[in-house]
Amino acid sequence: MNKTLKKMYTACVLLILLTLILVLAALPFLPDRIPAHYDAAGVVNRWGSKFEMLIFPGLVLPYGALFLGTCRMCREFSSGELGERIIVIGGIVQFAVFDLMTAYFLYTSFRQVEILAFMPLDLNQLLCGVSGLGLIALGNWIPKLKEPGPVGLRTRWSMKSTAVWRKCQRFGGWSFAAAGAGSILAALLVEGVWCWVWMVLALTAASIAGAIYSWYAAKTTTEG
């Protein structure tokens, strides 16, 4: 494992642990009764104990351990360390999103915010923007996958040959980056759950385009 990958693993582990650190550091300062659940309109519909905040690290820590174990399994494939690196980048984005959510709800708990619309920062916009940056980063790495493996634009057509695979990864990189740019644009232009609606539409469009292109590449590419 090279130094860059080690640093990426370190960043991923720190982000996983940060969820627990944030909650444990904030617990002594939280009121005993906090907003425990919000409805679709962002209005509190249940109050609960401050110790319910431990649910966040309770979910993230075991998931993080499972995720890191899965990353190492990529070494068994031909894509090797590069595929492993791409998955770790995805993990860094995921756990950064979890940490932002944790910090956001710690703040709403501390302030006992009853209506999220009154918050100066829209969490949906923030998370959608961060996710978009992650998609752009993944789009930059995917074209570097030169051999078929578990990571990348995988369809039954893209796996036809190495030549087809490489063409599909170049296209997949551009489509992922475009979906990421669309997600960032959505975060800047729309609020609330509509950010995620536009992000899902962008990802769906990228996936459909990738599937169509892989079919076309498999049909038209000949081995030299």
Side-chain angles (χ1 to χ4, degrees), residues 1-196:
M1 185 188 300
N2 63 33
K3 290 183 179 180
T4 301
L5 187 55
K6 285 182 179 179
K7 290 179 180 178
M8 292 169 64
Y9 264 108
T10 300
C12 197
V13 170
L14 290 176
L15 287 170
I16 292 170
L17 294 176
L18 183 57
T19 306
L20 177 63
I21 294 170
L22 287 171
V23 173
L24 292 180
L27 271 179
F29 305 99
L30 293 179
D32 292 331
R33 181 172 174 268
I34 64 170
H37 190 267
Y38 293 90
D39 62 20
V43 179
V44 174
N45 58 10
R46 186 175 73 84
W47 293 79
S49 167
K50 66 180 180 180
F51 292 103
E52 290 190 40
M53 289 302 302
L54 290 169
I55 292 174
F56 283 93
L59 294 173
V60 172
L61 291 177
Y63 171 71
L66 179 63
F67 176 83
L68 293 174
T70 303
C71 289
R72 294 180 179 274
M73 292 173 60
C74 288
R75 297 176 188 177
E76 300 176 7
F77 296 87
S78 57
S79 55
E81 190 173 284
L82 182 57
E84 184 179 3
R85 184 176 299 189
I86 290 174
I87 295 179
V88 175
I89 290 173
I92 289 173
V93 176
Q94 285 185 69
F95 296 116
V97 167
F98 290 150
D99 290 337
L100 288 170
M101 288 178 61
T102 302
Y104 182 88
F105 286 113
L106 283 171
Y107 178 81
T108 60
S109 297
F110 179 76
R111 303 289 297 182
Q112 294 189 310
V113 176
E114 296 188 28
I115 303 176
L116 293 180
F118 293 159
M119 288 284 288
L121 178 66
D122 187 325
L123 179 63
N124 294 289
Q125 289 178 301
L126 177 62
L127 298 184
C128 194
V130 171
S131 300
L133 290 174
L135 287 172
I136 292 174
L138 289 173
N140 179 63
W141 282 98
I142 286 174
K144 299 177 182 180
L145 294 166
K146 303 303 182 183
E147 301 292 336
V151 181
L153 175 55
R154 280 176 57 94
T155 68
R156 65 189 182 94
W157 301 292
S158 68
M159 303 289 287
K160 178 182 178 182
S161 68
T162 299
V164 174
W165 173 265
R166 293 181 179 182
K167 283 186 176 182
C168 290
Q169 302 323 300
R170 288 194 293 270
F171 184 88
W174 281 105
S175 61
F176 262 80
S183 301
I184 294 173
L185 187 62
L188 294 173
L189 297 180
V190 296
E191 299 179 352
V193 295
W194 284 105
C195 292
W196 298 108

